[in-house]
Amino acid sequence: MDLAYVCEWEKKPKSNHCPSIPLVCAWSCRNLIAFTTDLRNEEEKDLTHMVHIIDTEHPWDVYSVNSGHTEVITCLEWDQSGSRLLSADADGHIKCWGMTDHLANSWENTVGSVVEGDPVVALSWLHNGVKLALHVEKSGASNFGEKFSRVKFSPSLTLFGGKPMEGWIAVTISGLVTVSLLKPNGQVLTATESLCRLRCRVALADVAFTGGGNIVVATSDGSSTSPVQFYKVCVSVVNEKCKIDTEILPSLFMRCTTDPARKDKYPAITHLKFLARDMSEQVLLCASNQNNSIVECWSLRKEGLPVNNIFQQISPVVGDKQPMILKWRILSATNDLDRVSAVALPKLPISLTNTDLKVANDTKFFPGLGLALAFHDGSVHIVHRLSLQMMAVFYGSSSQRPVDEPALKRPRTTGPLVHFKAMQLSWTSLALAGVDSHGKLSMLRISPSMGHVLDMNMSLRHLLFLLEYCMVTGYDWWDILLHVQPSMVQNLVEKLHEEYMRQNAALQQVLSTRIVAMKASLCKLSSSTIARVCDYHAKLFLIAISCTLKSLLRPHFLNTPDKSPGDRLTEICSKITDVDIDKVMINLKTEEFVLEMTTLQSLQQLIQWVGDFVLYLLASLPNQGSPVRPGHSFLRDGASLGMFRELMVVIRIWGLLKPSCLPVYTATSDTQDSMSLLFRLLTKLWLCCREENHITEPDDALIDECCLLPSQLLIPNIDWLPINDGIISKLQNKQLVRLQFGKAPGLVGHTVSSQFDAFVRAPGQPKIDHLRRLHLGAYPTEECKSCTRCGCVTMLKSPNKVTAVKQWEQRWIKNCLCGGLWRKMPLSYS
């Protein structure tokens, strides 16, 4: 493990930000991190309990909000989509936060619930029934269905038709469990029930879910001499009211309390965690004293109940009729450790065919198998989640020491040590975020090999496997990019494409845009592939325009045939290879292309982009042998050229209805038919590469004609994406980057970024709305938002009123073309 970056608050004589006690943080599947601090006012009498939310790619752009909690915040919890956040405090108040206008740096409190005056010690969203298991031992399989399988898992509660009902469950310090359900109409149903008849103090608790739709709650009163209790909670809705039923499950005593040598050594249980939210059969316990800790891992198993011989004679027990009981058994325990300050558990739902601790040799160092333990001396250990054996270690500045030095023999340093008070692993377990006792956020890389020597192919295989997992689930893959070096990019992109092409056609169609976005983010990390980033984003834009324009076509008669007008357009354009656009057009039912005049005019900016890009590609064909430049990959991409060809036909037909919607070209001759010329050249180029396995070189006549284009038409400047100001490209040299909250870094440009300078507008030049293709001026006055991943910029509020354009804008209201989240930009961005 090593530090990637640290981000801290501005240093003042008296810092206003101080860590809250207890400090909590949470990491979403969209790579958003939420954590808490307390803000001290000038009189230093009252504390404001703050919630901070950052995007890992722009950690300095922190969104800090006064939570409104009157007591210290005890829990933070993201939902399964990573778009909503729960916060709970020591006064029993629970609040649900959502994005304002789908912006990652703007949040508001929407709904909530309360158990007045009863501190919340555990909090979780109800399970939605979606669970995708990773089969690590099958990472070399060709079919995604073998690597990732849908596990039969019932939601905690369902609506009519089986749709999962949203809501959350919380456990309070007095032994109450409260459930809040979010109805589709916005109403909140809340119920509260005691976990058992005899209520007792709950110092620690955690929540997990079973495959049958039940909820399991684990509780402890904080004393290691008391049992750790488990309860089954069932939630239902009866007569429009929420109902909670509880049942006591088998309990356990920690092993260290029954060991005569350690009976009174660890008086307090300080951490109680299920190994996963959907793994209620395995629990992690940590007991501590003032200086040391011990960690134990327990598993719940079904065991046969022995039957007395007397009853055997009366009624013999045969086969499966033997009575079974549930019993907790210890899997593993550590030796004496330094005092544990925080625990972070993996989120990957790994499924191992080998039982218990037997793991295949080639997967035993897989990152998702480890959990993180932070210690008061500033160090962090990654240990196997079942065997608790050491897998990797990180020493903070105050904890440099040999690995084999016993904890009890080390001299204590004077003064308080800086250590992590809250930690979270990323969703692929390749990164670890920790907030220390000074409120500073640290981002750590966790090597895919866990510090062990693995060959390059095995490391690439781990990264590839996790990229495929993110592609299938839709999770953000920023933490994987932390480990991609420039030398790996080409290999990863090729292997990712090979694995994608092995899938069936239906799955390829579902993942078609996601893999393009993934390739773009990978290519951004290498100077040799940086030009391809522009191509991949242009391809995403092309696919989006093609889908939108085709969706506007309507069949002329109500008895719709099997194929839609868009499908027939694709079929006819692929069959008819004529270079004359008018001969292709006469084979189509032009009445299906009739639209309102206002609609056609409103689409002119998108149509202009298609025309400009086709002209740019054809003009760059003679230079295809020169160093790689944007647009190069399109010249061998038959599918994309076919899309451009279809769109040119559609635009030609619409031009007959509304000539002003046609793309505008600056030609040297007034009599020249620019669209016919470009379609003829585009068709010739398409014929060279229409068959992926039989690509031929363009003939000299086509190249000569393309050479003449600059003398016939003015070649437009293509507006590629702006430089992404994210942190990922600055981390490749493995040197620590120090950042400050609220202050954009003035980092020296990386070599990759400098290569990108040739494809972007210089500061002070007019800006452009990349989705609407509208010019915003050199210093835009309209509020804009940008993508957290690719840097795509668009206006926050729509200036359009036409339905077709609103339909286009609605496609990107939540996410960018590449799938990244939006963040609000300051006015007059540069």
Side-chain angles (χ1 to χ4, degrees):
M1 287 191 292
D2 66 291
L3 268 175
Y5 64 76
V6 294
C7 200
E8 52 193 333
W9 300 101
E10 182 182 0
K11 294 180 180 179
K12 295 181 179 179
K14 282 190 176 181
S15 179
N16 290 335
H17 283 283
C18 58
S20 57
I21 303 174
L23 183 71
V24 287
C25 69
W27 194 324
S28 81
C29 62
R30 306 301 301 274
N31 279 324
L32 296 176
I33 296 177
F35 65 100
T36 61
T37 63
D38 291 338
L39 186 63
R40 189 185 297 111
N41 64 10
E42 295 180 358
E43 292 80 14
E44 298 189 10
K45 293 180 180 179
D46 298 325
L47 292 177
T48 302
H49 305 289
M50 307 292 293
V51 174
H52 309 285
I53 299 175
I54 65 163
D55 164 40
T56 52
E57 178 72 338
H58 305 87
W60 58 86
D61 187 16
V62 61
Y63 179 75
S64 301
V65 59
N66 180 356
S67 64
H69 288 290
T70 56
E71 296 292 337
V72 66
I73 299 172
T74 57
C75 302
L76 288 176
E77 190 74 21
W78 289 101
D79 71 346
Q80 289 88 345
S81 68
S83 58
R84 287 180 300 179
L85 178 71
L86 288 177
S87 63
D89 66 14
D91 196 34
H93 287 78
I94 302 172
K95 296 188 176 186
C96 178
W97 301 85
M99 294 184 190
T100 307
D101 296 328
H102 307 286
L103 298 172
N105 58 352
S106 182
W107 295 76
E108 61 183 352
N109 175 219
T110 51
V111 293
S113 62
V114 62
V115 184
E116 197 67 48
D118 205 352
V120 176
V121 294
L123 180 66
S124 175
W125 289 89
L126 297 180
H127 205 285
N128 61 2
V130 177
K131 183 179 178 182
L132 192 71
L134 283 81
H135 301 280
V136 182
E137 69 281 359
K138 296 182 180 179
S139 60
S142 60
N143 188 359
F144 284 174
E146 297 179 32
K147 300 178 184 181
F148 320 108
S149 62
R150 180 76 179 265
V151 179
K152 188 177 181 181
F153 210 92
S154 299
S156 303
L157 193 64
T158 55
L159 295 165
F160 179 78
K163 181 181 178 181
M165 194 167 189
E166 296 181 323
W168 57 81
I169 179 172
V171 181
T172 69
I173 200 169
S174 67
L176 293 178
V177 58
T178 177
V179 175
S180 298
L181 305 176
L182 301 177
K183 296 186 69 176
N185 61 5
Q187 184 182 356
V188 180
L189 299 180
T190 301
T192 304
E193 187 63 62
S194 176
L195 282 170
C196 59
R197 290 184 179 179
L198 183 62
R199 286 172 61 183
C200 57
R201 179 179 180 272
V202 175
L204 301 170
D206 199 17
V207 179
F209 303 91
T210 67
N214 295 321
I215 305 168
V216 178
V217 175
T219 66
S220 168
D221 64 2
S223 172
S224 61
T225 59
S226 302
V228 178
Q229 302 280 4
F230 295 86
Y231 306 91
K232 183 172 76 172
V233 179
C234 301
V235 184
S236 57
V237 176
V238 180
N239 297 328
E240 293 296 315
K241 292 185 178 180
C242 181
K243 182 183 177 184
I244 302 174
D245 296 306
T246 62
E247 177 185 332
I248 298 178
L249 296 176
S251 58
L252 66 87
F253 282 92
M254 288 192 68
R255 172 67 60 86
C256 64
T257 62
T258 60
D259 184 356
R262 294 172 171 165
K263 187 174 183 181
D264 300 319
K265 188 173 182 179
Y266 299 103
I269 297 179
T270 53
H271 297 87
L272 165 62
K273 297 282 185 182
F274 286 106
L275 287 186
R277 280 276 186 245
D278 48 17
M279 194 181 295
S280 60
E281 302 85 13
Q282 292 172 342
V283 67
L284 187 80
L285 299 168
C286 175
S288 306
N289 56 32
Q290 288 186 348
N291 300 321
N292 304 105
S293 297
I294 189 169
V295 179
E296 297 178 358
C297 183
W298 290 74
S299 178
L300 184 65
R301 298 178 179 179
K302 279 186 177 181
E303 296 184 358
L305 187 65
V307 180
N308 192 284
N309 291 334
I310 296 176
F311 298 104
Q312 283 271 21
Q313 295 172 2
I314 299 173
S315 178
V317 176
V318 182
D320 297 336
K321 293 184 179 180
Q322 182 179 7
M324 306 292 287
I325 60 170
L326 293 172
K327 203 164 187 178
W328 286 99
R329 294 291 186 186
I330 190 167
L331 286 178
S332 56
T334 64
N335 296 320
D336 294 334
L337 305 169
D338 273 319
R339 183 175 170 86
V340 174
S341 61
V343 176
L345 296 171
K347 301 178 179 67
L348 279 176
I350 294 177
S351 174
L352 296 172
T353 55
N354 302 313
T355 58
D356 296 336
L357 308 180
K358 297 179 181 178
V359 184
N361 288 331
D362 60 340
T363 61
K364 64 182 178 181
F365 301 129
F366 193 76
L369 296 174
L371 58 90
L373 302 174
F375 298 93
H376 275 255
D377 66 352
S379 64
V380 178
H381 293 182
I382 303 293
V383 299
H384 194 281
R385 66 179 185 179
L386 296 180
S387 68
L388 300 181
Q389 294 178 352
M390 181 81 73
M391 299 174 72
V393 63
F394 167 77
Y395 295 120
S397 57
S398 59
S399 59
Q400 301 292 342
R401 63 175 184 270
V403 177
D404 55 353
E405 187 179 348
L408 296 179
K409 294 184 179 180
R410 285 192 299 273
R412 294 272 162 194
T413 56
T414 58
L417 296 175
V418 177
H419 59 271
F420 290 149
K421 298 185 66 177
M423 285 193 313
Q424 282 284 312
L425 283 166
S426 69
W427 282 67
T428 62
S429 294
L430 289 179
L432 175 72
V435 185
D436 65 23
S437 47
H438 290 173
K440 179 174 65 177
L441 177 78
S442 300
M443 181 66 64
L444 282 75
R445 293 186 191 88
I446 301 178
S447 170
S449 62
M450 286 293 175
H452 296 81
V453 179
L454 295 180
D455 58 37
M456 180 60 73
N457 289 333
M458 185 60 69
S459 297
L460 283 174
R461 181 175 155 187
H462 283 176
L463 293 177
L464 179 65
F465 182 58
L466 291 173
L467 282 171
E468 293 167 351
Y469 172 70
C470 291
M471 192 196 309
V472 172
T473 58
Y475 294 163
D476 190 79
W477 54 90
W478 177 89
D479 45 334
I480 304 176
L481 301 181
L482 276 176
H483 302 272
V484 177
Q485 295 300 306
S487 58
M488 300 181 183
V489 170
Q490 184 67 29
N491 204 349
L492 270 177
V493 171
E494 291 176 358
K495 289 186 177 295
L496 195 64
H497 182 74
E498 290 174 7
E499 295 296 326
Y500 169 78
M501 295 305 295
R502 290 175 182 172
Q503 311 312 310
N504 59 60
L507 186 57
Q508 285 187 25
Q509 186 174 1
V510 170
L511 304 177
S512 59
T513 55
R514 202 170 287 163
I515 189 175
V516 175
M518 195 169 278
K519 288 178 181 177
S521 62
L522 287 169
C523 289
K524 197 179 295 184
L525 303 177
S526 172
S527 57
S528 61
T529 56
I530 191 67
R532 282 199 239 166
V533 178
C534 304
D535 290 8
Y536 287 131
H537 282 290
K539 187 171 183 178
L540 286 172
F541 199 67
L542 169 64
I543 294 171
I545 289 180
S546 177
C547 292
T548 301
L549 297 191
K550 285 181 181 179
S551 69
L552 297 175
L553 308 181
R554 294 289 182 267
H556 187 58
F557 300 104
L558 292 179
N559 54 340
T560 309
D562 294 336
K563 293 183 179 179
S564 66
D567 293 335
R568 280 202 303 277
L569 170 69
T570 302
E571 183 181 6
I572 291 173
C573 287
S574 62
K575 285 183 179 178
I576 301 177
T577 60
D578 202 298
V579 296
D580 189 339
I581 190 171
D582 294 324
K583 290 183 179 179
V584 176
M585 192 173 65
I586 61 175
N587 290 275
L588 296 167
K589 297 178 181 179
T590 52
E591 60 271 13
E592 296 178 342
F593 294 78
V594 176
L595 296 178
E596 294 180 2
M597 298 296 111
T598 54
T599 299
L600 291 177
Q601 189 60 48
S602 67
L603 298 172
Q604 203 280 328
Q605 284 84 9
L606 301 181
I607 291 172
Q608 184 69 46
W609 181 87
V610 174
D612 286 348
F613 203 88
V614 170
L615 176 55
Y616 171 85
L617 285 181
L618 294 173
S620 64
L621 180 61
N623 299 322
Q624 59 179 322
S626 62
V628 176
R629 52 185 293 181
H632 181 269
S633 63
F634 279 95
L635 303 177
R636 295 289 183 271
D637 188 351
S640 296
L641 294 177
M643 275 192 234
F644 276 121
R645 192 167 175 266
E646 295 166 16
L647 293 176
M648 293 285 280
V649 174
V650 174
I651 293 169
R652 180 73 163 193
I653 297 174
W654 285 347
L656 299 176
L657 301 173
K658 182 77 172 177
S660 61
C661 78
L662 288 172
V664 178
Y665 298 106
T666 303
T668 56
S669 172
D670 295 336
T671 59
Q672 179 174 275
D673 188 347
S674 301
M675 285 207 67
S676 295
L677 171 64
L678 294 177
F679 184 84
R680 178 166 57 83
L681 298 178
L682 179 64
T683 301
K684 290 182 179 180
L685 180 59
W686 170 68
L687 290 173
C688 295
C689 55
R690 61 183 299 195
E691 297 179 9
E692 187 176 353
N693 299 325
H694 186 65
I695 297 177
T696 59
E697 291 295 323
D699 56 26
D700 293 340
L702 174 59
I703 293 177
D704 289 344
E705 286 189 88
C706 290
C707 284
L708 295 175
L709 276 177
S711 62
Q712 298 171 311
L713 298 168
L714 179 65
I715 308 302
N717 291 321
I718 300 297
D719 289 291
W720 306 105
L721 289 177
I723 293 180
N724 186 9
D725 60 346
I727 194 70
I728 192 70
S729 62
K730 316 294 191 301
L731 302 175
Q732 289 187 303
N733 55 12
K734 295 295 181 80
Q735 292 183 356
L736 173 63
V737 177
R738 296 191 176 275
L739 305 168
Q740 185 174 302
F741 288 120
K743 185 177 180 181
L747 296 172
V748 178
H750 191 267
T751 53
V752 172
S753 299
S754 61
Q755 294 277 344
F756 213 17
D757 290 345
F759 313 139
V760 299
R761 289 172 177 253
Q765 287 190 343
K767 309 296 189 303
I768 190 170
D769 184 321
H770 293 99
L771 292 184
R772 299 181 178 90
R773 310 311 300 179
L774 297 175
H775 292 275
L776 304 176
Y779 301 99
T781 56
E782 294 291 329
E783 287 188 323
C784 295
K785 58 184 179 181
S786 69
C787 175
T788 56
R789 294 296 172 262
C790 68
C792 177
V793 176
T794 186
M795 283 186 288
L796 191 57
K797 295 180 181 179
S798 172
N800 299 297
K801 296 182 180 179
V802 182
T803 304
V805 182
K806 285 188 175 181
Q807 175 189 345
W808 167 258
E809 293 171 345
Q810 279 296 120
R811 294 172 67 98
W812 324 118
I813 193 71
K814 291 183 178 180
N815 301 100
C816 174
L817 284 160
C818 68
L821 294 172
W822 296 111
R823 64 186 183 113
K824 188 176 180 179
M825 301 183 68
L827 285 174
S828 302
Y829 71 93
S830 59

